[in-house]
Each structure stands twice: as C-alpha cells, then as structure tokens.
C-alpha cells in the first residue's frame, strides 16, 4: 500500500473507475504475442494517482530511499531495534530511518524469496513498481530481466536513475503503464507480483492481466493488507485507512476467490500481521516520519479486523 493520502481530492470509487483488460478469457490465456495498440486512456481516478506521485515528496518515501538507492513504497516486517529512539539527538533521525528501511528491505526480500526458482534468462514483472526498489532487489537476487510499471512519470524517471546508478539499467526497465492492461508480451514472464498495490484496482482485472503475462506454471506473489471476513464489515480503523490512502482494501475471501477465477492456484499463505506490528510501533514513535495513520494500523492488527499477508499462487 503506497504511502500517500489524496485528501485534497476525494474521488468516488466505482467499478467504472477501473480500466479492464481488453482481452477475453481466450485472449488472456493464449500464448501468442500480437502487436500492441497504444496505451488506453486512464480513468479519472488513475490520473489523480499519477498526479499525486508526480509531485510527491513525503519523507517516509524519500529519505529512506536515499540510504542506499533502494526506494520502497511498502511497509516492513521483523523485530525492530527500539533502542534507536534513545540515540543522541544529532543522530537519532538517521538511526530511525535506517532501522525502518531495514524492516522494509526485509519485507521486499521475503517477497523475492517466494518468486520461485528463477533463472538469469527469465523475465519478471513488478506491477505498481513505484521507484523500483522491489525490482532492483529481484534483479540483485536472480540477475534476470525485470519490467516494472507505474502510472507516474516522476516515479519512472527516478526508478530508471536508481537502476542506472546500480549498473542494472540494461536488465531492469521501467515504463509508464496501466497494470490492468500493460501491453507487455503474453506468456513472457516466469513470475510477477504486487507489493501493497492491489487495493487500488479491481481484483479480477488485475489477476487476469497477471495470468495473461505469466507462462504456465509461473508464480504470482502478493504482499497486501486484507479485511478479515470473520469480523464482517470493515472496522472503523480499516475504514480510516481506506480514507487516508484513497484506496479500497479487499476482503480476504474475495482475494482468494478472484485468484481461483483467474487460474492462479494458491501455493503459499503466510500471515505477516504480527511480523509487521514492530514496524508500525517504531514508526508511530518517529516524530519526523509518522503520518498520523499508524494508530489505526496498530488497532486493526491488534483487534484482528485487518491482516497483513503474503500469498503466492501458480498460474495454471
């Protein structure tokens, strides 16, 4: 889930806000590669997301990425070193940043680990790549080609600069594209993923595109927050998270049903809820990085209405 709040422009969420894939089931599953027409027009909602990211300069996204050129737009997992809060004032902010970045890095590494066996000759797809941190981690791990897409020209530009600075520009490429209709080659990818970006789109449209892109047996991985169906309607805290990020968090059951409808067979499920609580607890106590939504995340995780999950599925 990307770190932003479009409070300046509340846009109604409707199915018509999303651009569906222009492929039917036969087209989505065909292993052919036809010439692609021009990128379709974006919806008003997608344009608002692109405008925000073209001008975004939030410390939680910028300062952590400056540490090592791996710029993430997701949250972290693992035990936190809370002693950084007691560091001398002149180094405290730097130490807190480094610790939060370490936890975010651990989350991205976990996702990459679950992409399955990947060879240097394979291709990977990063849906909603942001500034490309996850793509670069996957490249470091596998040495293969990675394609990332984002709605933002500014994100694409910065992600490309990071790839160039790390000597990876010949293998890691970024483009401005709609992740529901990428116009990338059918069946060309051994693995693909969403890292906290599914809550901005319709799941069937999203998974149909991943199914189209993946070769048979290819692996799809998501790390995402989901509403716990046992609790019924979205809790007050989850509703506030939706408002803060202008997103629409999906229900757990809805997520799994949409995977099945789109021929993505679940292989691994890991509940990361308890593993992400230390990240949010540390961030809540970080005066230079806290955005005010930390308490709602912690409340929702503790009362069980919200779950942070890794889900891996194979394309059949």
């Amino acid at each position: 889930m990307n770190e932003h709040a479009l409070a300046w422009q509340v846009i109604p969420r409707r199915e018509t806000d999303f651009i569906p894939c222009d492929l039917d089931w036969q087209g989505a599953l065909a292993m052919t590669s036809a010439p692609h027409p021009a990128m379709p027009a974006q919806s008003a909602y997608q344009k608002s997301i692109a405008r925000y990211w073209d001008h975004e300069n939030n410390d939680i996204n910028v300062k952590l990425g400056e540490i090592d050129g791996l710029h993430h737009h997701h949250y972290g997992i693992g035990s936190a070193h809370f002693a950084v809060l007691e560091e001398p004032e002149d180094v405290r902010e730097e130490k807190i940043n480094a610790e939060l970045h370490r936890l975010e890095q651990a989350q991205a590494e976990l996702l990459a680990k679950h992409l399955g066996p990947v060879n240097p000759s394979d291709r990977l797809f990063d849906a909603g790549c942001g500034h490309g941190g996850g793509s670069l981690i996957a490249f470091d791990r596998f040495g293969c080609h990675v394609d990332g897409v984002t709605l933002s020209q500014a994100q694409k530009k910065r992600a490309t600069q990071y790839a160039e600075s790390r000597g990876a520009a010949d293998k890691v490429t970024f483009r401005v594209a709609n992740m529901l209709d990428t116009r990338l080659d059918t069946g060309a990818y051994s693995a693909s993923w969403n890292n906290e970006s599914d809550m901005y789109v319709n799941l069937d449209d999203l998974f149909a595109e991943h199914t189209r892109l993946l070769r048979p047996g290819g692996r799809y991985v998501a790390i995402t927050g989901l509403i716990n169906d046992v609790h019924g309607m979205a809790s007050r805290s989850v509703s506030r998270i939706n408002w803060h990020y202008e997103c629409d968090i999906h229900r757990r059951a809805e997520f799994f049903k949409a995977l099945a409808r789109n021929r993505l067979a679940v292989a691994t499920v890991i509940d990361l809820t308890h593993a992400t609580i230390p990240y949010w607890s540390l961030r809540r106590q970080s005066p230079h990085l806290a955005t005010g939504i930390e308490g709602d995340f912690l409340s929702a995780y503790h009362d069980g209405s919200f779950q942070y999950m890794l889900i891996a599925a194979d394309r059949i």
Side-chain angles (χ1 to χ4, degrees):
M1 189 182 304
N2 292 328
E3 180 58 42
H4 68 285
L6 299 177
W8 50 272
Q9 186 178 13
V10 178
I11 301 172
R13 305 298 306 282
R14 306 177 302 276
E15 290 300 306
T16 52
D17 284 336
F18 306 111
I19 301 177
C21 295
D22 62 354
L23 299 172
D24 58 18
W25 264 110
Q26 288 74 29
L29 299 176
M31 299 305 295
T32 60
S33 181
H36 298 311
M39 178 179 172
Q42 295 177 4
S43 68
Y45 175 71
Q46 289 171 320
K47 288 178 180 178
S48 73
I49 295 292
R51 282 196 301 269
Y52 177 84
W53 285 114
D54 281 340
H55 299 92
E56 186 268 347
N57 196 36
N58 194 315
D59 280 353
I60 191 67
N61 291 321
V62 176
K63 288 189 176 181
L64 303 193
E66 291 173 348
I67 293 173
D68 58 5
L70 291 171
H71 197 302
H72 301 298
H73 286 278
H74 56 73
Y75 309 135
I77 57 172
S79 299
H81 302 310
F82 288 95
V84 295
L85 295 169
E86 307 303 324
E87 292 282 350
E89 187 173 352
D90 59 334
V91 298
R92 187 179 306 147
E93 180 175 340
E94 177 185 352
K95 296 288 187 180
I96 293 172
N97 289 356
E99 180 62 4
L100 289 171
H101 186 64
R102 183 184 69 83
L103 298 175
E104 291 182 352
Q105 196 85 341
Q107 191 261 37
E109 294 280 3
L110 180 68
L111 188 153
K113 178 181 177 181
H114 284 272
L115 292 174
V118 178
N119 298 314
S121 59
D122 288 335
R123 299 180 74 91
L124 305 178
F125 172 59
D126 183 356
C129 63
H131 288 97
S135 294
L136 290 168
I137 282 180
F139 169 75
D140 288 345
R141 185 180 186 91
F142 302 113
C144 64
H145 194 104
V146 185
D147 289 309
V149 302
T150 173
L151 291 174
S152 166
Q153 289 281 358
Q155 285 189 337
K156 181 256 186 182
K157 180 179 179 180
R158 184 176 288 182
T160 300
Q161 290 171 344
Y162 283 140
E164 291 171 349
S165 69
R166 298 173 70 87
D170 61 329
K171 286 288 193 73
V172 185
T173 59
F174 302 100
R175 68 192 70 196
V176 175
N178 178 0
M179 67 179 171
L180 303 183
D181 189 4
T182 63
R183 310 306 169 94
L184 296 171
D185 291 336
T186 299
Y189 296 88
S190 64
S192 64
W193 69 90
N194 285 93
N195 198 344
E196 297 182 18
S197 54
D198 64 273
M199 60 285 297
Y200 292 96
V201 296
N202 175 279
L203 287 176
D204 279 302
D205 293 341
L206 176 66
F207 294 156
E209 182 68 348
H210 279 284
T211 297
R212 184 186 71 80
L213 293 172
L214 289 169
R215 66 191 187 197
R219 170 63 58 89
Y220 170 73
V221 180
I223 293 185
T224 187
L226 296 170
I227 294 172
N228 185 347
D229 298 274
V230 174
H231 285 247
M233 298 293 289
S235 67
R236 180 176 298 178
S237 293
V238 171
S239 297
R240 282 197 286 253
I241 293 168
N242 273 333
W243 179 87
H244 182 86
Y245 291 106
E246 276 299 316
C247 65
D248 190 6
I249 294 166
H250 300 294
R251 295 178 178 277
R252 186 180 62 200
E254 176 189 5
F255 196 94
F256 286 104
K257 289 176 181 177
L259 286 172
R261 285 194 298 267
N262 289 281
R263 299 187 65 174
L264 293 166
V266 174
T268 302
V269 178
I270 303 175
D271 189 337
L272 298 172
T273 305
H274 292 294
T276 197
I277 286 174
Y279 170 89
W280 286 100
S281 298
L282 177 60
R283 191 172 128 176
R284 188 182 194 182
Q285 299 178 67
S286 308
H288 61 288
L289 292 179
T291 62
I293 197 62
E294 291 79 9
D296 288 304
F297 273 90
L298 289 168
S299 295
Y301 287 143
H302 283 301
D303 68 23
S305 62
F306 193 38
Q307 292 176 291
Y308 194 55
M309 306 186 76
L310 180 149
I311 301 165
D314 295 327
R315 193 267 203 207
I316 58 175

